Amino acid sequence: MDGAMDGATPDPGAAIAPSCSEIPDRSYQPPPEDQPPADPALTTADAILDLPIQEPVEPEIIELENGETVHIAPEAPPTAIGALQTEGPIEWPDHFGGVWGDQRYGSMVVGFTEDVDRYAELVRGRYGAAWWVVEVEHSEVELRELQDEIGRAELGPSDGPGSISSTASGTGQLNRVTIGILEPSDDRLAELSERYGAARICFEIERTPTADDAQVAPWEPAPGAALTPDTTRIDVLVNERACASGTSAEGRIAPATVEYGPETVTITLAVIPVTGPAACPGNPDTPFTIELDEPLGDRTLLDGGTTPPSPPSLDDHR
């Protein structure tokens, strides 16, 4: 992705969307003193007037033909939060602005783009009297549609600075689409702000991971690796433990840390994380070569990534 905007040049005077972390606290309208007292019961089924209250249900136990048993968890009792999150966008698609918790006040909050007083009466009558109801700029449906638009146009494999790695809609109190972007230039931020609306998005600026971010990974000598007293070069397999979408760690393994003792040689390996979000299907073993500053001798190899250091093995990690 080169960030080109159909050949157009961003307007240098256009507003640039802020970093998500720099968005100031929402100015509540109505203000806190005009909202009802917080009620911890709001998050339980007891606060929902039009849904049945469910008693706790024990897991269902099914015995299989091989004699094993399977425990099937029951559905969780309905909650005011879950019901409002599900029904709000359907019933009030043009005005419903999402649900979030405000830790400053200990309250659950729902936003609407207009008619706050009317919606406050509806929400409190149906989902519980303690709901805070406030005005927001954008509906949840609008932000979801914008997130889909950005995703279709911008998301893809990371190809360097300015590439977008993730999007999220609404994110509660922010009431914007958040865009995860790798080390963008000011022109790239201006381009995206102009294209999608500076008041509808915010940026989560990411940086390329370095060796300082490397995470310890287990290893073991590669099959066929011959270890003799004269060995100074050890071929190993490394298994990255962090999420990496199943990719090889080749090119991301940091230089080995080696401690030479009278009876042991302790080697610690670490892998630099992939850039951006990653899935966790498990990762392949990656070949790597360790160069020792002195012959192995009769000393025992240990993996320094365990506590205490132990003989290297990937048996428990594959």
Side-chain angles (χ1 to χ4, degrees):
M1 238 177 299
D2 60 8
M5 191 169 133
D6 300 327
T9 301
D11 177 3
I16 295 181
S19 166
C20 299
S21 63
E22 295 174 351
I23 294 178
D25 290 341
R26 180 169 301 285
S27 176
Y28 281 120
Q29 296 295 332
E33 56 267 25
D34 293 336
Q35 302 283 358
D39 182 358
L42 186 65
T43 59
T44 72
D46 296 337
I48 304 177
L49 304 182
D50 63 340
L51 291 177
I53 297 174
Q54 299 181 10
E55 296 295 332
V57 180
E58 294 296 325
E60 180 181 0
I61 301 176
I62 299 178
E63 186 170 343
L64 304 179
E65 293 182 356
N66 61 6
E68 296 181 357
T69 57
V70 177
H71 293 240
I72 300 179
E75 291 186 7
T79 66
I81 297 172
L84 189 48
Q85 285 175 327
T86 300
E87 298 168 6
I90 298 173
E91 187 160 355
W92 310 300
D94 295 333
H95 300 151
F96 179 78
V99 175
W100 65 91
D102 193 309
Q103 296 181 353
R104 294 171 301 168
Y105 302 107
S107 295
M108 291 303 301
V109 189
V110 56
F112 289 92
T113 59
E114 59 181 61
D115 293 338
V116 171
D117 291 340
R118 180 172 68 87
Y119 282 120
E121 184 177 354
L122 287 171
V123 166
R124 291 166 186 159
R126 183 183 303 180
Y127 301 100
W131 275 98
W132 283 27
V133 183
V134 303
E135 185 174 0
V136 296
E137 290 79 20
H138 311 291
S139 74
E140 188 172 277
V141 169
E142 174 195 351
L143 294 178
R144 286 180 181 177
E145 291 175 348
L146 178 61
Q147 181 192 10
D148 290 342
E149 178 186 350
I150 296 172
R152 288 191 301 268
E154 308 286 350
L155 280 178
S158 174
D159 59 0
S163 59
I164 291 177
S165 60
S166 64
T167 61
S169 64
T171 58
Q173 190 172 346
L174 289 177
N175 195 232
R176 294 173 182 242
V177 173
T178 64
I179 297 177
I181 186 168
L182 178 64
E183 298 176 345
S185 65
D186 289 344
D187 284 347
R188 177 64 166 150
L189 296 181
E191 169 201 327
L192 294 170
S193 300
E194 185 175 354
R195 177 182 293 175
Y196 300 114
R200 299 199 298 167
I201 63 174
C202 63
F203 296 112
E204 292 182 340
I205 308 299
E206 301 171 354
R207 61 179 180 81
T208 302
T210 67
D212 291 337
D213 305 302
Q215 301 177 28
V216 171
W219 61 275
E220 69 180 14
L227 301 178
T228 70
D230 295 329
T231 294
T232 58
R233 179 186 178 95
I234 306 174
D235 292 327
V236 302
L237 297 176
V238 183
N239 191 274
E240 182 176 10
R241 305 311 302 148
C243 298
S245 299
T247 61
S248 168
E250 184 176 359
R252 296 187 290 111
I253 301 175
T257 299
V258 184
E259 299 179 14
Y260 300 92
E263 298 181 354
T264 60
V265 174
T266 302
I267 300 173
T268 304
L269 294 178
V271 178
I272 300 170
V274 296
T275 300
C280 302
N283 302 316
D285 297 336
T286 301
F288 186 69
T289 299
I290 300 170
E291 301 283 353
L292 301 181
D293 291 338
E294 55 189 66
L296 178 61
D298 295 328
R299 292 173 289 190
T300 300
L301 275 179
L302 296 178
D303 180 359
T306 64
T307 305
S310 60
S313 174
L314 294 179
D315 291 344
D316 295 333
H317 300 281
R318 290 192 176 102

